[in-house]
Amino acid sequence: MQPRRRAERESAQPTWCLVLCWLRSFFSAVGVSEARSPGVCRSPLRDGEKRESVRRHGMSARGPPGSVVRGLLAVAILLIVGKEPVGAANKAAGSGFRTFTPFYFLTEPADVVTLRGAPAVLNCSVHAEPTPKIEWKKDGTFLNLVSDDRRSLLPDGSLFITSVVHSKHNKPDEGIYQCVATVDSLGSIVSRTARLSVAGLPRFASQPEASSVYVGDSLALSCDVSAELVPFVQWEQNRLVRELDNRVAILFNGSLVISNASESDAGLYRCAVGSGAALKYSDEAELKVLSDPGEDRPLVFLRQPSPLTRVVGQTALLTCVVSGYPTPVVYWSHNQEELILENSDRFALLAGGSLQISNVTEEDAGIYTCTADNGNQTIQAHTELSLQVPPVFLVKPSNTHAYESMDIVFTCEVSGKPTPTIKWVKNGDMVIPSDYFKIVGDHNLQVLGLVRSDEGFYQCIAENEVGNVQSAAQLIILEHAATPGGPRPSSPRDVVASLVSTRFIKLTWRVPADAYGENLTYHVYYSREGMNRERVENASHPGEMQVTIQNLLPETVYYFRVVAQNQYGPGESSSPLKVETQPEVQVPGPAPNLRATAVSPTSVDVSWETPLSGNGEIQNYKLYYMERGAGDEQDIDVGGHSYTVSGLKKYTEYTFRIVAYNKHGPGVSTQDILVRTLSDAPSAPPQNLTLEVRSSQSILVQWQPPPPGTQNGQIVGYKVRYRKTTRKSETSEILVETQLSQLVAGLERDTEYSFRVAAMTVNGSGPATEWMSAETFENDLDESRVPDVPSSLHVRPLVTSIVVSWTPPENMHQVVVRGYSIGYGLGSPHAQTVRVDHKQRYYTIENLDPSSHYVISLKAFNNVGEGIPLYESAVTRQHTDPSEVDVVIVHAPYTPVPEPSPMLPPVGVQASILSSDTVRLTWADNSLPKNQKITDARYYTARWKTNIPANTKYKFANSTTLSYLVTGLKPNTLYEFSVMVTKGRRSSTWSMTAHGTTLESVPSSPPKDVTVVSKEGKPRTIIVNWQPPSEANGKITGYIIYYSTDVQAELHDWVIEPVVGNRLTHQIQELTLDTPYYFKIQARNSKGMGPMSEAVLFRTPKESSPYMPNNQASGKGVRTSDSGSNTGSSLGGNNSHHGSPTSLDQNMLLTIIVSLGVITVLVAVVIAAICSRRSSSHNKKKRAACKSANGSHKYKGNSKDVKPPDLWIHHERLELKPVDKSPETNPILTDTPIPRSPQDITPGDSTTEGSIHQHSNSYRGLESEDSVSSLVGRRAMRPKIMMPFDSQPPQQSVRHAPSCDTVVAASSSSQTGPEEPDPPGGSFLPGSMDEDSVASVPTAHIRPSHPLKSFAVPAVPAPAPSTGYEPVLPSSPLLAQQAPTALSVKTASLGTLGRVRPPLQVTVPNAPEPLETSRMLDGSESSYEPDELSKEMAHLEGLMKDLNAITTA
């Protein structure tokens, strides 16, 4: 044993110790002293082994002359080893651990644009050891450079083309190039791709023409060429190259711009395209420079900016060349903010006014406006700059070590604009997705079940329209290290597939016979039949002996084996287990060649072909389509292979998909395809048309585009029409581009003009706005300064208002006045401010306080600012001021007289529902002409609200038309709408209210309060409860319950339980014991499915106890008993800690039962004796009726022949009467609270009432699943009946009871012992009922008392039509009620000293004829004396005390 221990100790030494020991031997071999060598540990090598080690390294034991050099080399090796991480060193000890090899590109090829016949170079250089082999691909095919005399490989790997060949029919050099580097021992990597473009023969789209320009003005000479040729354009003046400066610039299309022209610019101009000697010239054109005549010339755009797209980092040139006199000032704005060009290193203003942006960034994208202003005129032009971003890596794939059978994922995240596409390459070859190579998360590569051949370099290549990038990662497959140590586990035992589905299998096993350790970890290896790839799935935590294998294929054979691992390593493998997954329903595959083509602005043609895997005859197809971005998907049943979908929105994107159906149901859906309907003319006019008078001859017209949903295409321009407001005036029209304003000049002075605007698409112009009028100034007014002070200000105070009137400034005919600003407040005019139009001369300040001092200020204003204020003060009148009148008269020629009268409210308000959140309001205005055209400045205010919740506030919006589109509403919600009109100071009251309910939408929130509970006595059955979604957005038509044992599983692997209707509970059966389940619920309405709830975890009980009430373990239904224990014991009534009764409890329970039986018999004998002493001929008839009632318990069905007293009808039976009309066969009892007096409650009854509520459903062992699931709903419908037990004295209760009632109770309770098992079918009375009748027997948990205390006297019912009997006793109307014919069984619990007793079963006989019952009651009232009965009750009380003493002992 000693040598073995030493060997184990030496083999267990750390790796770094072994290396040092080996180096010590190495130092000794090369002649270094033993004392100088590392001496950290003892060397496990013997002398012979040392010599062998030295011999293997090619060194002499005597040490050659260069021993010192070799020693230094050994130290270097030690340092290199020391740099490795600890984990790496450990792996290197015995697993063949290999490090990653640097292999990457130093230079990658870039896009090249060249000319025909010119040389070209595509760069490529690689870092690798050893030197790699460089090859080139063109358009995906390797180039053969050996026999190519024009293309060659440079020493660094770059590709050199001596002379580019390019012609109309032969383009051998133009294309996509890629560099490929290969190292035989490592693999291959590929570079990014680069495009070689050849700018072919120059063609001039337009050539310069003879032109003239005034001195100081700007000019543009055309020379339009293709975009790729612009860098090769140059201009010549008089055959000499024209140099570029801040006055001269070349645009992106090749045109030449000259600004601030001078006489030196005159001459002959031509443009040249090409380089070197291969230049092509355009025609020459003469430019004449004319002297400036000094006359005003209107501003015109020689070149307007056009939409431009650039790549981040490039230079953008926004063209804007303006001509006119006086020379205009050109400035630019970006997204309506003026650009500051001074001292900017990226923004520069070039010749003519063009804007150049260097090194553009994403923030530079947006709308740019070029504005030219010369003091007399202002013109604007708009354009949009769009930016593209090449792909950029956010996360690059990383080098990975792995073992065979493992699953790995290479992550790769990129950004770019447009969004880049990603592809993966392994050793230079494209990775094709398969069962073992999958693209996950849209861009990550997952390799399943690694094998040795998967080693190599994997590259993520991202590409979009403006570039592509690549990043590589190396994968190394390691061998498992042979770790020394103790014994390893044997193979796991009893490997079985406990659950087999179509796409997942659950494996379980037992601990190995020889574990050799605790907390073993387990690895499950599995492979498909016929495949050499084996995958591994690890148990989630140590000691777990089950694994669920997901994502399997249906109807496929798999082999599984399990390996246990302890601290010494993996042990033996179990024998392979062959399992075949279940077959999946054979549904059709996706329909191929799905195509969608827009044929009109509102229709799309969709076509497809028959699925390749139809799995039977295709019955029909279902076409799904929806507006992009909307959540409401429509579907159409189609019989053929094409369909035209009509009724779509114009110029709107829609998605389409098709699903084939066969006899098994719906198949696999196709991928969505996107198509946009054709454009059309706009269907709505522009919005917010405004007019601003600029001068005596010009008016600025401004507007906003039509609403987005009504544009029906790209707006390409606007039509501005205007005319004089006078009759029979001609209409002029101006075509405007995409700008949203137009200055109309050349108008007549002091004339009113009307304007309207219409939007245009390529399909035509849409409807125009209503005419809007404005009047030009009589003279051109000055707006370089503020207006003067108003000439006068007058105020007239009223009780709660002040009428303010004024006259304009005296210089109003020289300075522009655009309005007046009125300020007012208590003691200060700065509290409130109101602005009015320049034409207004009075204003009423409302909502003021009576008897208060107000200060009012008045200022005229224009675009420059506000003028000097004029002040006035006034004191509002008191409430009792008799001078308050309705008509305001100001005795001055400039003040108005009457107060404005209110306007008529709008009529015919209608709310048209358009969608789930949009309503269109329309109305009519009786104060307008019959054509309902608005020609004045009135506007309408719409308000709307919903009454849920009740305190919701109104929302308001203004409109200048007779309609308004209300958006942002809640789905499936009732709203009320009303409208009022305002014109100047006049307003109407609110109109009549219109109502509208928005359309339904899919639920936007999941079901809430999801709870899962185990069903009592059925551990394999659970009940799921939930509440409806907070935002149902419509009537809920059902729910879908998903449950699974793996919360991370794919959704299609979860089990589905549909719930129809608005039920809020559902029961799921046959679950696995001691298993965690996850539950999710999804609500649906007529519009679709809502979101899922969060997963709720529930673990089923460990096992089914043989003492459970429902006896689930044996499969038989056993009647449950109530728990009266204070300890809260289980349903079985066990107080034992282990769930089974002890022998002492059983003996005590038997004693209680026997004692109770004896007492019951004695009570019955005593009462029978009393009956015999007090009997008469009348009482003999009653006893005969009692005997017949007792006999009804012995024979099945004779309840139809005998009719016992109706007094025994239980209150719960009364509760069932409203439910008896239901077709369901299993009525459900309501938990009826039973009040008791303190005298009636024994110590054992302290928890009886709680037990009633806890186990209200426990008696229903045979109920159907549907009836259980609707329990909650029925309980809410049934009223509860309160039972006043002690509402009358006990003596009266006994006096009104027939003597045979107690006998019946005693006999019925003695027929079935409490420990007697129930017969099959669940019948509570042996041989008396079948299964169906028992299922409807109600029970009640009450303590035994006098029968009349168990129910309340109901109202007098209507007599049965078959009997003409009137009740004899009006004080007991229950006796006149016709009793049900079905038997009723009561269950009463007796609790004694905290112990639980099974229920006594009390049989209720049927009622006799009402007349006989009345006679029995009459006899009972005259048969008993209170004194005699009190003696009997005292005797019973003594017997009960004896019983308590026995049970206590």
Side-chain angles (χ1 to χ4, degrees), residues 968-1118:
L969 305 179
K970 295 181 180 180
N972 194 41
T973 304
L974 176 65
Y975 284 86
E976 63 178 44
F977 306 85
S978 54
V979 186
M980 67 177 294
V981 60
T982 302
K983 180 181 177 183
R985 297 179 52 236
R986 302 174 60 198
S987 297
S988 72
T989 58
W990 290 104
S991 67
M992 297 291 289
T993 301
H995 293 83
T997 302
T998 53
L999 301 179
E1000 291 188 0
S1001 178
V1002 295
S1004 54
S1005 66
K1008 58 183 181 180
D1009 299 336
V1010 181
T1011 58
V1012 184
V1013 296
S1014 177
K1015 186 174 180 182
E1016 285 184 273
K1018 291 186 178 181
R1020 294 168 61 89
T1021 302
I1022 60 98
I1023 298 176
V1024 186
N1025 303 299
W1026 64 91
Q1027 291 299 318
S1030 301
E1031 299 173 0
N1033 298 340
K1035 181 181 179 181
I1036 297 298
T1037 59
Y1039 298 85
I1040 293 181
I1041 301 176
Y1042 298 81
Y1043 67 95
S1044 171
T1045 58
D1046 183 10
V1047 72
Q1048 302 296 335
E1050 296 291 336
L1051 187 60
H1052 57 75
D1053 291 333
W1054 290 55
V1055 183
I1056 296 176
E1057 283 279 337
V1059 179
V1060 180
N1062 56 356
R1063 288 165 45 191
L1064 300 177
T1065 183
H1066 188 72
Q1067 182 171 282
I1068 301 175
Q1069 301 178 343
E1070 298 302 322
L1071 299 182
T1072 306
L1073 295 177
D1074 193 22
T1075 302
Y1077 285 87
Y1078 296 87
F1079 296 83
K1080 297 180 181 179
I1081 302 183
Q1082 188 179 26
R1084 70 170 181 263
N1085 58 16
S1086 60
K1087 294 300 181 180
M1089 308 299 300
M1092 288 190 183
S1093 65
E1094 293 293 330
V1096 175
L1097 172 64
F1098 179 82
R1099 178 179 286 274
T1100 53
K1102 291 189 176 181
E1103 59 181 293
S1104 177
S1105 172
Y1107 297 94
M1108 294 183 111
N1110 283 354
N1111 200 9
Q1112 180 123 7
S1114 61
K1116 297 180 180 180
V1118 179

Side-chain angles (χ1 to χ4, degrees), residues 139 170 294 328 406 456 518 816 841 867 925 981 1066 1120 1174 1255:
D139 298 330
N170 184 26
M406 288 179 58
E518 297 180 355
V816 175
R841 295 294 182 267
D925 192 346
V981 60
H1066 188 72
T1120 62
R1174 299 293 181 177
H1255 309 296

